DNA sequence: GCCGTTTTCGGCCCGACTGTTTTCAGTCG
């Protein structure tokens, strides 16, 4: 069983226990253990074999025993008994907006409803409105919620939400009385996918900005509107919420709006130890004293902590690290001096080598690698071995023209074929300065096969980097089912660089695996995989993913000087 | 069910909004 499968079981247990009416803290404990498993960079099976389950955050004796039972037998008697008591299908009812465990339990006990279809039917027949605590409005809300479930977009890729959010920010900044507007939530934390768009505005009086927000022409539905918080659903199914706080509360409000929820809980727990009750409004003392914070830094400072970058705020140990003064010095966009994966008209790129080089110079880069595809990837017009030699001549010519303005390295993105062999013979690979071995096809091979295939490629002494390791395409195409722990171990041993592909549809390695990679001493490279000049602007998405993985500057080879990169390439032969 | 720089027992973040209520429960983030 994988980390994710275990996490799903514990989340399901939490849902069912909540419907059952269990102690809320027991439920939260299961959720915390599930989150811990989801955020884990190592394979749970390895931790289990080492007998270190209870070292995981949120895993104590009882949950460790359940993990042990699941990994040993593939089953959990506790879960089977629970499902016999509380129908498993009730958990899906919790997905309906505004429907929580109390009402699900009410409908189940009073009307025997266990499925979505039964709930919809009962609502349409007006059977819900007479139950205690219910009324016509609540019933209508449920009907509407079930419909919303059907059209609700799942989490959307960062790259799609980003331009929309930017436009929304610009719009709100123009409202009179608005002092500041900033992204919050998973967008500010730069998660690869986001559930909704969270925005914080500072204004003395919230009414003008709230009105402007809910009255936008693309708003399909207003889900709620109050003095400090409103939320809407846009026509495309995307949701957004806006908080408005006075400028003098901006710091605490921004911490609150940025989250994650778990980070906030962790921070508030720590604040309590320091004698403060932390909310979006202030840091309050029990004696009635209060500290308000205009800046986020002041909130952390008041707790004796350094400011924690938003990308780290996932409760993955950042608060503990901040307490110890051990936060990483994260890589930043300004540190990037090179882009080591891009395509030209030699395969599926839109521009010539010269044009790509000119664009890179505009980005201030010292070095680029032109990494066109190899021939077996027919759909993109990959290069034959003969073309590799011809392209070399062109790269030399362009290099001569541009002098010391930029270094151009000849690379190639070489297919890892379905049997694990590479698309060029060794004598061709030997002539290419920077060899990328990539998966694009047969991604659905079984875990063991695709992992062996990848490791075989890593073992080829000519291979320098693995670009976009899993091949995922957000939001639809899952990546290969790689045993990443085994892949990273092989890469660490071979000195092969792993890429964080900056394209927002990829962000691959993901944040969790990037963090594991640097723990293993692997060097990373953050590249745009540009097929046009505009694509080079996507670099910041990759940098943010690295930051989410606690990656520091020196661990990223394209922050190095060009001479250091060239020296490294030479050392690899 | 987890956890300990006040604790191995007794706590466990904090507040906004809505609807059904005349003061609060449920849901959400």
């Amino acid at each position: 069983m994988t980390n994710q499968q275990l996490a799903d079981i514990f989340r399901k247990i939490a849902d069912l226990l909540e419907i059952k009416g269990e102690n809320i803290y027991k439920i939260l404990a299961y959720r915390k253990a599930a989150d811990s498993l989801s955020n884990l960079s190592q394979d749970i099976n390895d931790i289990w074999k080492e007998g270190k389950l209870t070292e995981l955050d949120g895993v104590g004796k009882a949950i460790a025993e359940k993990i042990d039972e699941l990994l040993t037998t593939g089953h959990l008697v506790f879960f089977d008994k629970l499902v016999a008591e509380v129908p498993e299908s009730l958990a899906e009812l919790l997905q309906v907006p505004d429907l929580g465990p109390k009402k699900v339990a009410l409908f189940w006990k009073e009307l025997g409803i266990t499925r979505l279809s039964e709930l919809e039917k009962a609502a349409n027949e007006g059977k819900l409105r007479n139950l205690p605590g219910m009324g016509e409005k609540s019933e209508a809300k449920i009907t509407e919620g079930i419909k919303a479930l059907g059209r609700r977009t799942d989490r959307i890729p960062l790259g799609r939400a980003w331009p929309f959010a930017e436009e929304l920010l610009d719009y709100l900044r123009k409202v009179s009385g608005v002092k500041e507007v900033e992204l919050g939530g998973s967008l500010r934390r730069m998660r690869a996918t986001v559930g909704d768009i969270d925005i914080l505005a500072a204004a003395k009086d919230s009414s003008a900005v709230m009105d402007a927000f809910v009255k936008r022409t693309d708003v399909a539905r207003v889900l709620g509107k109050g003095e400090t918080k409103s939320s809407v659903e846009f026509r495309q199914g995307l949701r957004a919420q806006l908080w408005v706080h006075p400028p003098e509360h901006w710091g605490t409000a921004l911490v609150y709006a940025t989250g994650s929820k778990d980070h906030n809980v962790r921070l508030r727990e720590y604040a309590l130890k320091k004698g403060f009750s932390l909310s979006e409004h202030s840091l309050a003392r029990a004696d009635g004293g209060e500290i308000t914070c205009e800046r986020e830094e002041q909130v952390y400072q008041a707790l004796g902590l350094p400011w924690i970058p938003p990308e780290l705020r996932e409760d993955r140990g950042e608060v503990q690290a901040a307490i110890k003064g051990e936060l990483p010095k994260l890589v930043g966009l300004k540190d990037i001096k090179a882009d080591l994966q891009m395509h030209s008209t030699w395969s599926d790129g839109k521009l010539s080598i010269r044009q790509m080089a000119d664009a890179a110079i505009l980005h201030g880069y010292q070095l680029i690698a032109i990494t066109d595809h190899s021939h077996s990837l027919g759909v993109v017009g990959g290069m034959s071995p003969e073309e590799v030699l011809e392209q070399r001549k062109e790269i030399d010519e362009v290099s001569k023209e541009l002098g010391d303005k930029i270094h151009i390295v000849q690379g190639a993105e070489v297919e890892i074929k379905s049997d694990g062999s590479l698309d060029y013979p060794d004598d061709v690979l030997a002539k290419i300065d920077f060899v990328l071995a990539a998966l694009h096809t047969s991604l659905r091979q079984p875990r063991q096969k695709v992992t062996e295939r990848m490791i075989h490629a890593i073992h080829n002494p000519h291979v320098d980097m693995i670009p976009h390791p899993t091949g995922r395409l957000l939001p639809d195409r899952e990546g290969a089912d790689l045993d990443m722990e085994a892949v990273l171990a092989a890469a660490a041993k071979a000195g092969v660089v792993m890429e964080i592909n900056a394209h927002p549809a990829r962000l691959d390695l993901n944040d969790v695996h990037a963090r594991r990679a640097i723990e293993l001493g692997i060097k990373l490279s953050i590249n745009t995989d540009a097929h046009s000049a505009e694509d080079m602007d996507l670099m910041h998405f990759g940098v943010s993913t690295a930051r989410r993985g606690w990656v520091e500057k020196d661990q990223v080879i394209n922050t190095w000087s060009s001479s250091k990169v060239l020296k490294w390439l030479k050392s690899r032969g």
Side-chain angles (χ1 to χ4, degrees), chain A residues 28 109 139 170 172 217 234 242 270 298 419 431 451 512 527 549 568 571:
Chain A
L28 290 175
K109 284 174 185 158
E139 189 177 72
D170 282 343
L172 293 171
T217 53
F234 292 103
L242 172 69
Y270 185 68
Q298 296 168 342
D419 63 356
K431 289 175 183 146
T451 300
V512 171
N527 308 309
W568 172 77
S571 76

Side-chain angles (χ1 to χ4, degrees), chain A residues 10-243:
Chain A
F10 289 127
R11 279 199 192 96
K12 179 69 75 66
I13 288 173
D15 285 349
L16 297 181
L17 287 177
E18 201 171 13
I19 293 166
K20 192 181 159 192
E22 251 302 352
N23 177 301
I24 185 65
Y25 296 109
K26 186 186 280 193
I27 290 151
L28 290 175
Y30 277 105
R31 296 225 167 96
K32 184 157 230 169
D35 289 344
S36 200
L37 285 163
S38 291
N39 286 333
L40 193 62
S41 54
Q42 279 176 276
D43 190 329
I44 186 68
N45 288 280
D46 294 337
I47 293 169
W48 171 56
K49 282 174 204 154
E50 290 167 17
K52 291 181 175 172
L53 288 177
T54 52
E55 288 180 21
L56 294 175
D57 192 30
V59 176
K61 188 162 171 282
I63 290 182
E65 279 171 5
K66 289 185 175 68
I67 295 174
D68 181 63
E69 185 182 339
L70 279 162
L71 293 181
T72 307
T73 69
H75 276 280
L76 184 59
V77 174
F78 171 83
F79 183 66
D80 296 340
K81 280 185 186 164
L82 181 61
V83 167
E85 205 179 337
V86 186
E88 203 176 342
S89 61
L90 285 172
E92 77 190 40
L93 300 187
L94 294 174
Q95 300 304 310
V96 179
D98 302 314
L99 197 48
K102 295 282 161 54
K103 285 189 178 158
V104 168
L106 179 72
F107 302 155
W108 172 43
K109 284 174 185 158
E110 294 296 323
L111 302 172
I113 290 168
T114 60
R115 299 184 174 281
L116 211 50
S117 55
E118 294 163 0
L119 179 67
E120 192 169 21
K121 187 158 170 276
N124 287 335
E125 290 170 358
K127 287 180 179 165
L128 302 180
R129 63 182 67 175
N130 296 323
L131 294 172
M134 290 289 296
E136 276 185 49
K137 277 191 177 175
S138 301
E139 189 177 72
K141 238 180 172 179
I142 285 170
T143 308
E144 184 53 47
I146 293 171
K147 279 188 203 152
L149 211 55
R151 68 170 179 267
R152 183 159 79 180
T153 45
D154 283 334
R155 298 186 68 84
I156 60 168
L158 179 59
R160 214 197 109 203
W162 189 263
F164 184 77
E166 292 271 277
E167 190 276 321
L168 208 48
L169 292 185
D170 282 343
Y171 170 81
L172 293 171
R173 282 194 183 104
K174 289 176 190 147
V175 178
S176 76
V178 171
K179 301 276 183 232
E180 283 193 81
V181 182
E182 185 65 73
L183 282 174
S186 48
L187 259 176
R188 182 160 184 246
R189 303 197 309 278
M190 299 297 278
R191 276 189 62 162
T193 60
V194 301
D196 57 10
I197 295 174
D198 296 311
I199 297 173
L200 176 68
K204 274 195 164 38
D205 175 10
S206 71
S207 56
V209 58
M210 285 299 185
D211 284 344
F213 180 61
V214 301
K215 284 179 182 161
R216 271 177 66 101
T217 53
D218 52 357
V219 166
R221 222 153 55 99
V222 178
L223 304 169
K225 182 166 180 276
E227 249 179 71
T228 61
K229 180 182 153 186
S230 293
S231 57
V232 300
E233 185 178 304
F234 292 103
R235 285 207 202 100
Q236 316 89 308
L238 197 60
R239 291 178 173 210
Q241 55 187 340
L242 172 69
W243 290 277

Side-chain angles (χ1 to χ4, degrees), chain A residues 470-491:
Chain A
T470 74
R472 76 170 176 180
L473 284 177
L474 297 168
D476 297 324
R477 192 174 85 189
E478 285 204 27
D481 183 23
L482 291 170
D483 176 350
M484 199 53 82
E485 188 67 18
V487 168
L488 293 178

Side-chain angles (χ1 to χ4, degrees), chain A residues 501-530:
Chain A
N501 191 289
H503 196 287
R506 294 193 181 272
L507 301 178
D508 177 17
L509 292 176
N510 68 22
D511 50 359
V512 171
H513 290 141
R515 187 168 176 188
R516 183 61 183 153
I518 57 169
E519 279 172 11
L520 294 171
I522 292 171
K523 296 296 181 206
L524 302 174
S525 181
I526 309 170
N527 308 309
T528 62
D529 200 351

Side-chain angles (χ1 to χ4, degrees), chain A residues 106 145 169 187 227 294 345 383 424 462 468 505 553:
Chain A
L106 179 72
L169 292 185
L187 259 176
E227 249 179 71
E294 278 179 46
T345 47
M383 294 186 296
Y424 291 140
H462 297 292
H468 51 70
K553 182 183 167 198

Side-chain angles (χ1 to χ4, degrees), chain A residues 224-277:
Chain A
K225 182 166 180 276
E227 249 179 71
T228 61
K229 180 182 153 186
S230 293
S231 57
V232 300
E233 185 178 304
F234 292 103
R235 285 207 202 100
Q236 316 89 308
L238 197 60
R239 291 178 173 210
Q241 55 187 340
L242 172 69
W243 290 277
V244 183
H245 284 271
E248 57 270 28
H249 292 177
W250 178 257
T252 41
L254 189 55
V255 169
Y256 165 77
T258 301
S260 65
K261 191 172 181 296
D262 292 332
H263 173 85
N264 287 351
V265 169
R266 182 76 67 178
L267 204 60
R268 287 169 178 201
E269 281 171 357
Y270 185 68
L272 280 176
K273 284 184 192 163
K274 293 270 166 180
F276 293 105
S277 169

